Amino acid sequence: MGKVGFGVAVGVAVATCAVAAVMVGRRVRRRRRWTRVVAVLEEFEESCATHVGRLRQVVDAMAVEMHAGLASEGGSKLKMLLTFVDTLPNGSEKGTYYALDLGGTNFRVLQVQLGGDSSDRSAILRHDVVRQAIPPHLMTSTSEDLFDFIASSLKEFVEKEEGFSELSAVKRMELGFTFSFPVKQMSVLSGILIKWTKGFAIEDMVGRDVSECLQQAMSKIGLNMRVAALVNDSVGTLALGHYQDEDTVAAVIIGTGTNACYLERADAIIKCQGLLTTSGCMVVNMEWGNFWSSHLPRTSYDVDLDANSPNPNDQGFEKMVSGMYLGEIVRRVILRMSEESDSFGPVASRLSEPFTLRTPLMAAMHGDESPELREVARILKDDLEIPDVPLKVRKLIVKVCDVVTRRAARLAAAGIVGILKKIGRDGSGGITSGRTKGQQKFRRTVVVVEGGLYTNYSMFREYLDEAVTEILGDEISPHVILKHTEDGSGIGAALLAAAYSSPNVDTVQLL
Ligand code: BGC
């Protein structure tokens, strides 16, 4: 080999080595990035841990906060609001009633016909429902705009149902109004809005009587209808649950927002001394979305989500549990992963826009059972504008959805057991447990659950049911039944309108 040949050979060898070094370097960097992406997931999973010991701490904290909220006004982050509902419908209600259910992204209007046969707990002869989306601009507009819109949709529905267009000529109709926000009730049919949640922000409404606003809007358009009951969605759900099964003691909503209510002994409501109720009980609206405890597994993503929300330091439990926020937590974790990896393309994609990943999309990714995770790829491409995400990354994304949902469902389960503990139905021997020492006898206890997350997201439901069993243990859990209802919040409001417009019902008095 001549000098030139030798020089070329050396040059080729050097170039080959350089290329190889670049490739190895790239591979090492890629591996390092991948390790960092995996580390983001592992760290997140660890901080979301909800082992049963921690859940039991949440159970105890919930029961303690319930006591505190009942003891004094402002005594806890749990408002424990009086509802003035002391008797739940028993089947004797008869006639045609309407309901208006407002509280999430949709509202519903219903007509319910009641047979009045108390021996037959399925005496709801028929109910018609119409669902309508609330135009997003009305959620932050004025109370007049919102209520005018709702009243006219209600009127349209009633005209169709009654087959009559001169509604002022029809005899006055009775309405149950489900308004799913924190309300300080003055009676069963009136109450003042304390604050908005779930993205609603109509400032002029806070502090005003909700029923009066609706009543004015209905009168303006000649709708001859009276608000006979103003109820929270959890209270409506409890009314239907109890109507169908007398062993029902509590109702839980897990949809856009989350909440629970239950039947409490009037004498346990210490902040309201001298509460005269016919039954000796009252339904208490817990507003558990605002529950807080240091035992909740909070991550840096939750902290950031809260800080950037319109209501920071508020509705802490809701932000970890409900449908409005789960997709957003997942988006934040994926965004963090994308900052560590080049598998997601430029970070400027839609992934950096808050609330682009809605919970139904997250549920669809979580439920994708195809081996190549086709639905995950489609959602990433169509909804988040991130094409060509490799399969191994898609698998991590499904795992993120799983961690977020599992934590939410297990915390909701702990909340439910917290209520059971407060009323002595968790087997730990509370004051009204019905447990006779030595005999280990437990009363059948039903909790009704409603809301899109529980109804439509099967993994969420499975995790919740499983956690309730895990916390209560094999001996007690067979006595606790979680039942799912649909449209209970609206039908229950109509039932309460029927029960409370009857002349035979005494109203609750505050001495
Ligand atoms: C509201 C509750 C409501 C729950 C479920 C929460 O944001 O504060 O009043 O019951 O959502 O709709």
Side-chain angles (χ1 to χ4, degrees):
M1 193 188 296
K3 259 189 183 172
V4 173
F6 180 72
V8 170
V10 169
V12 170
V14 168
T16 312
C17 284
V19 170
V22 168
M23 280 170 63
V24 170
R26 254 191 220 153
R27 205 171 304 148
V28 169
R29 275 200 299 279
R30 212 175 293 144
R31 199 169 305 142
R32 255 194 230 133
R33 279 201 293 260
W34 174 248
T35 314
R36 285 206 299 269
V37 172
V38 173
V40 169
L41 172 62
E42 283 172 354
E43 197 190 306
F44 177 62
E45 191 173 6
E46 206 173 299
S47 32
C48 284
T50 48
H51 47 81
V52 74
R54 176 174 276 199
L55 291 183
R56 293 216 170 95
Q57 290 172 321
V58 175
V59 168
D60 291 345
M62 183 66 83
V64 166
E65 289 300 315
M66 289 171 77
H67 272 288
L70 290 173
S72 63
E73 210 64 72
S76 162
K77 289 207 99 174
L78 287 183
K79 289 214 154 49
M80 306 300 283
L81 299 168
L82 266 61
T83 61
F84 292 83
V85 173
D86 63 334
T87 21
L88 288 165
N90 59 14
S92 61
E93 300 74 20
K94 198 174 163 109
T96 299
Y97 295 85
Y98 284 88
L100 177 66
D101 189 347
L102 170 71
T105 35
N106 295 309
F107 78 96
R108 282 169 285 208
V109 276
L110 301 90
Q111 190 206 54
V112 180
Q113 290 180 15
L114 304 168
D117 178 359
S118 39
S119 62
D120 175 10
R121 290 255 163 172
S122 57
I124 297 174
L125 300 180
R126 169 181 110 83
H127 82 271
D128 279 349
V129 195
V130 169
R131 291 182 180 75
Q132 213 170 315
I134 300 171
H137 73 275
L138 289 183
M139 291 162 65
T140 50
S141 165
T142 63
S143 56
E144 200 173 351
D145 288 350
L146 178 69
F147 281 94
D148 283 353
F149 173 76
I150 292 168
S152 64
S153 305
L154 178 60
K155 184 177 181 202
E156 216 174 279
F157 176 79
V158 176
E159 277 171 356
K160 263 196 213 125
E161 292 292 324
E162 303 284 332
F164 197 73
S165 61
E166 208 28 76
L167 286 177
S168 51
V170 177
K171 89 169 177 38
R172 192 181 70 182
M173 293 159 285
E174 304 284 350
L175 175 80
F177 182 19
T178 309
F179 184 74
S180 310
F181 300 94
V183 165
K184 184 175 169 51
Q185 304 243 181
M186 279 95 67
S187 69
V188 79
L189 50 81
S190 63
I192 284 169
L193 174 65
I194 300 173
K195 64 175 184 185
W196 288 107
T197 56
K198 299 177 281 196
F200 279 73
I202 304 172
E203 273 320 306
D204 74 297
M205 188 65 214
V206 176
R208 287 179 62 192
D209 183 343
V210 180
S211 299
E212 208 175 278
C213 291
L214 177 62
Q215 203 68 66
Q216 280 168 3
M218 291 193 299
S219 313
K220 234 201 271 181
I221 52 170
L223 182 55
N224 192 5
M225 194 171 257
R226 180 185 80 111
V227 178
L230 171 68
V231 301
N232 185 262
D233 49 355
S234 58
V235 179
T237 302
L238 180 61
L240 179 67
H242 193 268
Y243 182 86
Q244 291 174 335
D245 186 333
E246 271 187 310
D247 290 335
T248 306
V249 295
V252 174
I253 306 288
I254 316 175
T256 309
T258 186
N259 193 12
C261 73
Y262 71 107
L263 212 48
E264 181 57 280
R265 294 187 340 268
D267 64 0
I269 309 176
I270 299 162
K271 65 182 172 186
C272 207
Q273 290 291 333
L275 193 60
L276 281 188
T277 71
T278 321
S279 63
C281 291
M282 181 175 288
V283 175
V284 173
N285 168 13
M286 293 172 62
E287 285 297 330
W288 87 359
N290 202 36
F291 168 66
W292 191 251
S293 153
S294 58
H295 297 299
L296 292 173
R298 198 181 202 211
T299 68
S300 56
Y301 304 96
D302 301 302
V303 173
D304 292 347
L305 182 151
D306 180 54
N308 291 300
S309 69
N311 54 345
N313 291 319
D314 202 25
Q315 300 291 103
F317 194 57
E318 180 159 278
K319 286 173 182 158
M320 293 172 110
V321 167
S322 83
M324 172 138 182
Y325 303 99
L326 298 195
E328 174 60 6
I329 303 173
V330 171
R331 182 197 68 84
R332 284 173 178 271
V333 181
I334 305 179
L335 179 63
R336 176 83 191 87
M337 286 173 154
S338 75
E339 287 159 359
E340 297 292 352
S341 158
D342 52 4
S343 314
F344 294 84
V347 174
S349 70
R350 288 200 69 208
L351 190 56
S352 26
E353 286 171 30
F355 291 95
T356 25
L357 184 65
R358 291 178 308 102
T359 303
L361 292 176
M362 165 201 175
M365 294 205 286
H366 195 188
D368 187 353
E369 285 177 349
S370 65
E372 331 72 69
L373 298 176
R374 259 179 280 123
E375 185 62 3
V376 178
R378 191 196 61 73
I379 291 171
L380 289 172
K381 182 165 161 286
D382 295 354
D383 295 281
L384 297 178
E385 294 168 6
I386 324 174
D388 308 321
V389 176
L391 181 59
K392 65 174 184 177
V393 179
R394 303 208 290 274
K395 284 187 180 159
L396 289 194
I397 292 177
V398 173
K399 182 68 189 165
V400 175
C401 298
D402 188 66
V403 171
V404 171
T405 296
R406 188 163 185 273
R407 179 184 71 165
R410 288 173 71 80
L411 292 179
I416 292 174
V417 181
I419 301 176
L420 299 181
K421 183 169 187 120
K422 168 70 183 73
I423 58 174
R425 297 282 189 109
D426 69 328
S428 64
I431 23 176
T432 56
S433 66
R435 174 179 171 171
T436 15
K437 265 210 171 102
Q439 279 178 295
Q440 299 287 304
K441 194 170 168 290
F442 301 105
R443 264 192 268 167
R444 182 174 174 273
T445 297
V446 178
V447 176
V448 273
V449 189
E450 190 159 297
L453 216 52
Y454 192 75
T455 314
N456 305 327
Y457 194 165
S458 55
M459 298 288 275
F460 182 94
R461 193 169 55 243
E462 277 165 33
Y463 280 140
L464 190 152
D465 294 351
E466 180 188 84
V468 167
T469 306
E470 200 180 321
I471 306 170
L472 288 173
D474 292 342
E475 199 189 344
I476 311 296
S477 58
H479 301 272
V480 173
I481 295 135
L482 299 186
K483 268 195 187 173
H484 159 237
T485 51
E486 212 159 316
D487 286 329
S489 52
I491 300 173
L495 285 170
L496 287 165
Y500 281 91
S501 53
S502 149
N504 306 327
V505 173
D506 291 335
T507 47
V508 177
Q509 288 175 28
L510 296 173
L511 287 185

